[in-house]
């Protein structure tokens, strides 16, 4: 437990002692602004809600979350500090979980800094704050799932660039699983059950359900189990690939 | 003295390559064991298995009574480890790194500051504790790495090439530090610098192609040199006369001539294995009435022994 806390602290601090954290937060907030007000048509819609704000989150996360997760293990493996970390008296699980939680907390901090948008919409009208809160929860959970995938990919390589690119591709597959681009590939030859299974992995579908204001246990379980599976794979990869 | 490190038939295969091929030895408290071998002999791989970083293909290691296969966390808690090349988090400061290590290692909060202070003065990091590690010189980085290994004052230390890349003064400091700690700990250090073995080790193990090829005190290893007990001689006489005269001594194995000048012959008189020839050589020189300018008994060169052990075709078999 003390090892887990120490790892979280170290990782979190390392985001902020390098420019990574500040660059990331500034870009995240700026993009949020652009998407919400310019592209999303926040004012033109005349509705007091944050739908234009949240609807772009999955697509922003697609590129920004792998940028947070790419260095988690790849950098440790490249520099060799993985040997230092894993010869400390902590389990590989605590190390992996600590790194993951630190990255997730960091994503949470970035997300929390968007709260002024929430305040703005309350000042302008009377939005359904329950829906907005649920959307924040959904957005945070989705970020967690993306991060777990990114951390797992990062563990498999020494190169941050490879970690980034592969993470984006895998995250895109999960994101777009329900879109025609992916389902068309299966329709016509695969049985319906395969198409349904693939569609059920769609981040978009689960995220949309939550942003409607209904936090369904199934959606929570989806994101949690996906993150759990990715973390388990992360631990296995680290155990297997210490040598290279 | 009970063994604090027991290495039992460790073996590691990477695919078809056998990196470590059945290495066994024990290290008791108070011993500084020099782990010698050419690059790629399996030194680092053996250490990585003892620390629990790499799983062995076969065999195991027991550190302070904990089996690394059954309780790797307890093993990791009781040892300090300096990985090869001393990898460190470059964006952290030594202070930040030590706080992190202290927390992970469970040093109670009130004792952390004093533990860090102790290490700071032991490895001489005053003045750089708040500088990012990546901005430090190689010598400082190595000392920061050494510091993290001894932060929790572990009973067992594994140091993979601790003096590699240091200047002579820094090497001296690190060796002095190892000597100071030697009484209380069991220390294994790997090196390919042979003078280091003389300077700090109480025992040396030579490993080649994954197998132990020699195990003994540094003096015992030196005794295996062809130059052990050889006599370095400089006398006023013709080199031919010196060579032919000394070769007649029964215990002399041969005479190596070195550059002669101005009527002074220089040569190295080699002893037959186990023989002490200094007295006979001196007696013969005196009998001939040659003026002696130098007569020194050679202890033997570890370099020669090292080369013989690790290069010969039979290096793979135990001797």
């Amino acid at each position: 437990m003390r090892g887990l806390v120490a790892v979280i602290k170290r990782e979190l601090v390392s985001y902020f002692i390098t420019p990574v954290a500040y660059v990331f937060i500034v870009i995240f907030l700026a993009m949020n602004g652009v998407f919400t007000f310019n592209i999303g048509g926040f004012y033109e819609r005349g509705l007091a809600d944050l739908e234009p704000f949240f609807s772009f989150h999955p697509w922003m996360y697609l590129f920004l979350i792998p940028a947070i997760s790419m260095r988690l293990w790849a950098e440790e493996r490249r520099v060799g500090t993985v040997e230092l970390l894993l010869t400390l008296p902590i389990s590989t699980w605590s190390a992996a979980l600590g790194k993951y939680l630190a990255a997730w907390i960091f994503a949470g901090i970035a997300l929390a800094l968007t709260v002024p948008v929430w305040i703005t919409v309350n000042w302008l009208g009377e939005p359904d704050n329950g829906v907005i809160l649920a959307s924040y929860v959904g957005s945070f959970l989705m970020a967690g799932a993306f991060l777990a995938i990114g951390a797992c990919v990062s563990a498999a390589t020494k190169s941050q660039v490879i970690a980034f690119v592969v993470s984006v591709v895998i995250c895109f597959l999960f994101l777009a699983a329900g879109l025609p681009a992916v389902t068309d590939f299966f329709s016509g030859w695969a049985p319906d059950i395969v198409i349904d299974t693939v569609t059920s992995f769609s981040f978009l579908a689960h995220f949309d359900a939550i942003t409607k204001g209904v936090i369904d246990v199934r959606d929570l379980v989806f994101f949690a189990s996906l993150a759990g599976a990715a973390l388990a794979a992360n631990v296995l990869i680290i155990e297997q690939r210490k040598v290279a | 003295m009970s063994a604090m490190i027991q290495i039992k038939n460790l073996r590691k295969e990477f695919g078809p390559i056998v990196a470590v091929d059945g290495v066994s030895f024990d290290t008791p408290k108070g011993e500084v064991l020099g782990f010698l071998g050419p690059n790629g002999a399996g030194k680092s791989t053996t250490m990585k298995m003892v620390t629990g970083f790499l799983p062995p293909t076969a065999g195991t290691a027991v550190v302070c009574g904990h089996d690394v296969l059954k309780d790797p966390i307890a093993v990791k808690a009781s040892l300090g480890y300096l990985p090869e090349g001393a990898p460190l988090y470059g964006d952290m400061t030594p202070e930040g790194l030590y706080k992190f290590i202290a927390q992970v290692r469970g040093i109670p909060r009130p004792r952390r500051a004093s533990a860090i202070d102790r290490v700071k003065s032991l490895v001489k990091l005053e003045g750089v504790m708040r500088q990012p590690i990546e901005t430090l010189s190689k010598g400082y980085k190595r000392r920061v790495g050494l510091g993290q290994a001894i932060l929790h004052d572990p009973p067992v230390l594994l140091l993979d090439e601790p003096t590699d890349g240091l200047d002579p003064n820094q090497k001296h400091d690190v060796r002095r530090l190892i000597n100071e700690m030697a009484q209380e700990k069991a220390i294994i250090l790997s090196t390919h610098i042979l003078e280091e073995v003389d300077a700090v080790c109480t025992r040396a193990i030579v490993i080649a192609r994954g197998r132990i090829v020699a195990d003994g005190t540094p003096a015992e290893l030196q005794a295996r040199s062809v130059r052990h007990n050889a006599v370095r001689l400089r006398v006023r006489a013709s080199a031919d006369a010196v060579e032919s005269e000394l070769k007649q001594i029964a215990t002399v194995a041969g005479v190596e001539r070195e550059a002669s000048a101005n009527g002074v012959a220089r040569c190295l008189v080699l002893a037959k294995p186990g023989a002490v020839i200094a007295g006979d050589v001196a007696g013969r020189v005196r009998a001939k009435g040659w003026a002696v300018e130098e007569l020194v008994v050679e202890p033997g060169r570890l370099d020669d022994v090292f080369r013989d052990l690790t290069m010969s075709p039979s290096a793979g078999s135990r001797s």
Side-chain angles (χ1 to χ4, degrees):
Chain A
M1 191 58 207
R2 59 165 197 251
L4 180 68
V5 174
V7 171
I8 294 175
K9 229 167 85 182
R10 199 205 75 75
E11 286 290 332
L12 208 49
V13 167
S14 84
Y15 280 115
F16 287 96
I17 54 180
T18 56
V20 175
Y22 307 102
V23 171
F24 178 87
I25 287 173
V26 167
I27 290 178
F28 178 71
L29 295 180
M31 284 175 73
N32 261 314
V34 170
F35 282 131
T36 308
F37 295 103
N38 298 46
I39 300 170
F42 178 76
Y43 291 119
E44 291 79 356
R45 296 172 78 234
L47 291 172
D49 66 11
L50 283 183
E51 212 214 295
F53 170 74
F54 285 111
S55 62
F56 288 103
H57 275 196
W59 302 101
M60 264 196 299
Y61 285 158
L62 176 59
F63 292 98
L64 291 180
I65 294 290
I68 307 183
S69 62
M70 65 183 185
R71 58 180 270 289
L72 281 178
W73 289 101
E75 183 67 5
E76 296 250 9
R77 283 164 47 89
R78 190 182 64 79
V79 180
T81 43
V82 64
E83 199 172 342
L84 187 69
L85 180 66
L86 295 181
T87 51
L88 291 173
I90 50 170
S91 63
T92 310
W93 256 106
S94 326
L97 189 61
K99 277 172 171 289
Y100 168 71
L101 288 178
W104 201 14
I105 291 168
F106 175 69
I109 291 170
L111 188 60
L113 289 172
T114 64
V115 162
V117 179
W118 192 356
I119 296 169
T120 306
V121 77
N122 269 285
W123 187 65
L124 290 172
E126 285 173 359
D128 184 341
N129 284 317
V131 171
I132 294 176
L133 183 66
S135 301
Y136 265 110
V137 170
S139 179
F140 185 56
L141 284 175
M142 187 173 55
F146 273 131
L147 270 175
I149 293 169
C152 177
V153 173
S154 176
T157 173
K158 283 184 182 178
S159 158
Q160 295 195 38
V161 176
I162 292 176
F164 177 80
V165 174
V166 174
S167 299
V168 170
V169 170
I170 295 179
C171 288
F172 176 74
L173 290 178
F174 275 103
L175 195 58
L179 298 181
V182 174
T183 48
D184 284 355
F185 176 77
F186 291 100
S187 62
W189 58 272
D192 283 352
I193 183 147
V194 172
I195 299 172
D196 286 348
T197 308
V198 169
T199 311
S200 73
F201 273 100
S202 166
F203 277 26
L204 278 179
H206 289 281
F207 181 61
D208 282 347
I210 296 176
T211 53
K212 296 279 179 294
V214 187
I215 298 186
D216 191 331
V217 176
R218 277 174 302 181
D219 298 320
L220 299 185
V221 168
F222 170 75
F223 283 124
S225 52
L226 192 97
L231 268 178
N234 187 347
V235 171
L236 279 179
I237 290 170
I238 296 161
E239 295 280 353
Q240 290 300 313
R241 303 210 47 192
K242 282 173 184 167
V243 193
Chain B
M1 283 201 299
S2 66
M4 293 175 81
I5 310 167
Q6 292 167 275
I7 291 174
K8 298 175 176 173
N9 214 11
L10 271 183
R11 182 179 171 86
K12 182 70 188 176
E13 295 165 12
F14 296 117
I17 301 160
V18 181
V20 176
D21 187 8
V23 166
S24 304
F25 60 86
D26 290 356
T27 310
K29 184 173 163 180
E31 187 163 273
V32 181
L33 186 134
F35 210 34
L36 290 166
N39 291 328
K43 304 186 296 278
S44 294
T45 306
T46 304
M47 285 197 169
K48 284 175 187 173
M49 288 192 283
V50 177
T51 60
F53 181 67
L54 283 183
T57 306
T60 189
V62 178
V63 177
C64 297
H66 307 291
D67 189 315
V68 73
L69 295 181
K70 297 191 186 100
D71 195 353
I73 304 276
V75 168
K76 290 169 185 180
S78 50
L79 61 77
Y81 175 47
L82 175 71
E84 188 177 13
L88 298 164
Y89 295 106
D91 50 12
M92 294 182 103
T93 63
E95 190 174 31
L97 177 73
Y98 288 173
K99 281 182 178 162
F100 164 64
I101 302 274
Q103 194 183 354
V104 175
R105 291 219 175 257
I107 299 175
R109 199 174 283 273
R111 282 191 15 232
R112 275 181 213 166
S114 66
I116 292 173
D117 273 349
R118 184 183 66 92
V119 165
K120 180 173 74 179
S121 58
L122 273 179
V123 296
K124 297 188 177 163
L125 290 176
E126 291 93 348
V128 301
M129 288 297 280
R130 297 191 170 191
Q131 232 171 289
I133 291 169
E134 61 197 356
T135 66
L136 299 177
S137 71
K138 198 172 181 186
Y140 269 122
K141 283 180 187 161
R142 190 54 53 99
R143 271 137 71 192
V144 173
L146 195 59
Q148 64 78 23
I150 59 174
L151 187 65
H152 54 303
D153 200 16
V156 169
L157 264 184
L158 295 173
L159 309 173
D160 202 345
E161 301 190 354
T163 60
D164 185 44
L166 300 185
D167 71 34
N169 293 335
Q170 294 166 338
K171 278 183 187 166
H172 178 81
D173 286 347
V174 168
R175 288 172 194 160
R176 190 181 41 79
L177 180 62
I178 292 171
N179 277 328
E180 282 169 12
M181 295 186 299
Q183 292 287 307
E184 301 302 315
K185 302 184 194 302
I187 302 175
I188 298 181
L189 65 93
S190 82
T191 181
H192 45 238
I193 307 166
L194 296 163
E195 50 170 351
E196 198 142 288
V197 177
D198 259 343
V200 294
C201 298
T202 56
R203 179 179 168 197
I205 283 182
V206 183
I207 179 169
R209 284 162 233 177
R211 285 169 164 270
I212 293 177
V213 292
D215 179 355
T217 64
E220 281 166 7
L221 281 190
Q222 275 181 338
R224 296 169 68 156
S225 164
V226 286
R227 292 164 184 265
H228 179 62
N229 278 341
V231 173
R232 179 166 299 283
L233 189 62
R234 212 165 72 199
V235 294
R236 293 201 162 273
S238 91
D240 292 337
V242 171
E243 183 175 348
S244 64
E245 187 65 32
L246 293 182
K247 269 188 174 166
Q248 292 167 19
I249 302 173
T251 49
V252 168
V255 178
E256 280 179 14
R257 279 159 71 162
E258 293 166 4
S260 306
N262 303 333
V264 178
R266 294 171 49 150
C267 60
L268 186 70
V269 188
L270 300 177
K272 286 189 173 156
V276 180
I277 59 168
D280 293 343
V281 170
R284 194 64 68 100
V285 167
R286 207 178 303 120
K288 299 294 286 184
W290 295 330
V292 177
E293 295 198 343
E294 183 187 7
L295 193 153
V296 184
V297 179
E298 292 256 328
R301 286 199 200 157
L302 274 178
D303 294 44
D304 295 339
V305 181
F306 182 78
R307 230 183 341 269
D308 283 350
L309 287 169
T310 56
M311 298 279 286
S312 63
S314 62
S317 62
R318 272 159 210 269
S319 53

